[in-house]
Amino acid sequence: QVQLVESGGGLVQAGGSLRLSCAASGRTFSSVAVGWFRQAPGKEREFVAVINWSGGSTRYSDSAKGRFTISRDNAKNTVYLQMNSLKPEDTAVYYCAADYRTTAPIMAFMYKYWGQGTQVTVSS
């Protein structure tokens, strides 16, 4: 079982940056995949980025490429999402998700464990 806690959300002006953190506890293994998803009101949950804990392989959505970077700190059991050049379209609740997998899936249904989410609001 994995428990996830997100932090780092807030209000930022367009063009600014935020770094989200996802702290994991419980039984974590090298085969775990950790992803970031976001959901705006009235819209479906959208994939943002994912990292495989063991190999460090990453995948990004088209909107995230070139602006967002996902990384991990093994010693802290924490995954980060560095978000630069933020746009109002990035406004959403951002969720951290994890599951015991050797791959880095981009589909939300592939993840069993989820955090409570952290609000990111980008003003124009």
Side-chain angles (χ1 to χ4, degrees):
Q1 186 175 357
V2 179
Q3 295 82 45
L4 305 172
V5 179
E6 304 99 331
S7 62
L11 176 65
V12 65
Q13 190 176 12
S17 300
L18 283 174
R19 189 180 75 162
L20 306 183
S21 298
C22 174
S25 61
R27 293 188 174 183
T28 57
F29 302 94
S30 61
S31 60
V32 68
V34 180
W36 286 98
F37 295 79
R38 66 187 184 187
Q39 187 167 22
K43 297 184 178 180
E44 295 182 347
R45 189 161 297 185
E46 177 188 20
F47 166 77
V48 178
V50 62
I51 186 169
N52 178 274
W53 197 268
S54 179
S57 299
T58 59
R59 300 174 70 182
Y60 297 92
S61 67
D62 289 340
S63 63
K65 290 179 181 178
R67 298 188 299 131
F68 296 0
T69 302
I70 188 170
S71 62
R72 72 191 196 279
D73 187 327
N74 291 347
K76 297 181 179 180
N77 269 359
T78 300
V79 171
Y80 304 97
L81 183 67
Q82 178 66 46
M83 305 187 294
N84 299 326
S85 301
L86 284 163
K87 306 174 182 179
E89 305 94 273
D90 297 317
T91 296
V93 176
Y94 283 70
Y95 297 91
C96 179
D99 209 339
Y100 299 114
R101 299 185 180 277
T102 58
T103 58
I106 64 173
M107 298 80 70
F109 74 86
M110 297 292 288
Y111 294 87
K112 181 178 181 179
Y113 305 102
W114 292 81
Q116 295 299 307
T118 184
Q119 177 70 47
V120 172
T121 303
V122 184
S123 64
S124 59

